[in-house]
Amino acid sequence: MDFNLNEDQKAFVDLAKQFSDAELLPNAAKWDAEHIFPKDTLKKAGELGFCGLYSPEDAGGMGLSRLDSSLIFEQLAMGCTATTAMLTIHNMATWMIATWGTESIKETWCPSLVMGEQLASYCLTEPGAGSDAASLKTSAKKDGDEYVINGSKMFISGAGETDVLVVMVRTGEAGPKGISAVVVPANADGVIYGKAEEKMGWNAQPTRLVTFDNVRIPVENLLGKEGQGFTFAMKGLDGGRVNIATCSIGTAQQALDTAMNYMKERSQFGKPIAAFQALQFKLADMATELVAARQMVRLAAFKLDSGDPEAAAYCAMAKRFATDIGFQVCNEALQLHGGYGYIKEYPLERHFRDVRVHQILEGTNEIMRLIIARRLLDESAGEIL
């Protein structure tokens, strides 16, 4: 059991840090303040392979492990949380198309998606179906060699700015077995976008309601087979939970680094506030909890890569723990700045706002607790603890 990064992983981290420091960190505050969706920067990320990290190589992706991808996302999140989160969503949707799409669909979309020349959104949540994804109502009814889609999806990241949508639809009976996954061009006739939601954070990416009004797509746009959509969605969410937990870790590390530097520069009562033991203890706790969260995220990614039967439980644990810790560390870093942490001249209030949503996305942390508890109480569950 070796916890050290290998040479390839160190190279991935260095490359991601260079890109983050040069392209994300200097622009994050402006993107947040002016609600700019940095598509040109995302294209630059694609040129480095960051838009197809774990998509298979035969579809043009890098074919990296989830652990290696997590190492990259952590560095990117240190530069801009919202932009990195959008990259993780794009990677998940691209991976789904590259893994389960027909050859014609892969040929149509994958070359441009893995390069960041075009972007993808993932459409699962509905106005009446959030954590209870199996109850979704958006329908896709077969009409000859086409599907006709009707319904709405809520809180869709990138909607209105992306080029293709991976949509979970109901093609059959009620419940999870009636759900399928389809690929919909974002500009298809009948796709209607709502207003950009005014959000607490994640302002560097738009979030909109998407309505499908008799949208027609070829049956070849189906991913896998009818009825497999819910399985694909859950597989996507396992990885998505590792990704969003990683975004929390990266943002929290940046907040901690900023706080440590500030404490060395800020003086009160004749000495730097870093000299006060009470604040040293606080830093120690923040660093300890952050390291623990990072290790849990990397363990979950390893379990996912290994095909461990309990990977879903580990992903839920990592998402619950890391997003809570990430928020706490950002909150404490803001507190250490005093009044300066509350003003936009400093990045702490943005970190605080951006990581808060991570406790809600990919299943709320209450749902994560339910997943974990049910696995612990299931007599068929493997060894989790």
Side-chain angles (χ1 to χ4, degrees), residues 47-48 54 65 86 90 120 151-152 160 220 241 247 270 293 302 359:
E47 292 170 358
L48 295 176
Y54 49 88
S65 68
M86 184 64 221
H90 169 83
S152 295
E220 67 182 19
R241 286 161 185 160
C247 288
F302 170 78
Q359 296 169 295

Side-chain angles (χ1 to χ4, degrees), residues 20-162:
S20 183
D21 288 347
E23 300 289 345
L24 303 183
L25 189 62
N27 298 304
K30 178 181 175 67
W31 293 340
D32 173 72
E34 300 180 16
H35 294 218
I36 295 171
F37 185 48
K39 296 175 77 171
D40 289 342
T41 303
L42 291 171
K43 184 177 179 181
K44 290 180 181 179
E47 292 170 358
L48 295 176
F50 295 162
C51 287
L53 286 175
Y54 49 88
S55 290
E57 293 182 85
D58 61 10
M62 293 185 68
L64 297 185
S65 68
R66 296 308 179 96
L67 176 56
D68 291 348
S69 300
S70 176
L71 298 175
I72 292 170
F73 288 140
E74 180 178 343
Q75 293 301 314
L76 298 179
M78 293 180 69
C80 181
T81 313
T83 302
T84 304
M86 184 64 221
L87 264 176
T88 70
I89 295 166
H90 169 83
N91 266 271
M92 178 174 67
T94 300
W95 166 74
M96 287 183 165
I97 295 172
T99 302
W100 295 300
T102 60
E103 288 303 317
S104 62
I105 282 295
K106 287 191 285 188
E107 290 173 4
T108 298
W109 292 107
C110 287
S112 57
L113 290 175
V114 298
M115 291 298 295
E117 295 169 352
Q118 292 185 300
L119 299 172
S121 290
Y122 179 64
C123 304
L124 173 63
T125 300
E126 297 185 358
S131 297
D132 183 14
S135 68
L136 67 83
K137 299 186 183 307
T138 297
S139 65
K141 296 182 178 180
K142 192 174 287 187
D143 182 19
D145 58 357
E146 293 181 318
Y147 284 111
V148 182
I149 305 172
N150 284 281
S152 295
K153 297 293 181 177
M154 191 73 175
F155 303 133
I156 305 306
S157 291
E161 296 286 347
T162 52

Side-chain angles (χ1 to χ4, degrees), residues 208-223:
R208 289 185 170 92
L209 172 77
V210 183
T211 299
F212 301 90
D213 183 12
N214 288 319
V215 176
R216 289 181 173 270
I217 59 169
V219 293
E220 67 182 19
N221 285 28
L222 177 71
L223 296 181

Side-chain angles (χ1 to χ4, degrees), residues 235-314:
K235 288 180 180 293
L237 287 177
D238 284 341
R241 286 161 185 160
V242 170
N243 290 345
I244 209 67
T246 300
C247 288
S248 287
I249 297 302
T251 308
Q253 184 65 62
Q254 185 68 21
L256 178 59
D257 291 348
T258 303
M260 288 190 292
N261 291 332
Y262 177 80
M263 288 173 64
K264 295 173 184 177
E265 298 170 357
R266 174 71 167 171
S267 291
Q268 290 290 280
F269 305 103
K271 56 184 177 181
I273 62 174
F276 291 96
Q277 191 176 64
L279 299 186
Q280 293 174 0
F281 286 172
K282 184 179 290 292
L283 276 181
D285 287 342
M286 293 162 68
T288 300
E289 290 169 347
L290 186 53
V291 168
R294 178 181 290 112
Q295 294 305 101
M296 180 169 280
V297 171
R298 292 182 181 179
L299 173 61
F302 170 78
K303 294 287 187 181
L304 200 56
D305 290 330
S306 303
D308 192 288
E310 300 302 336
Y314 279 98

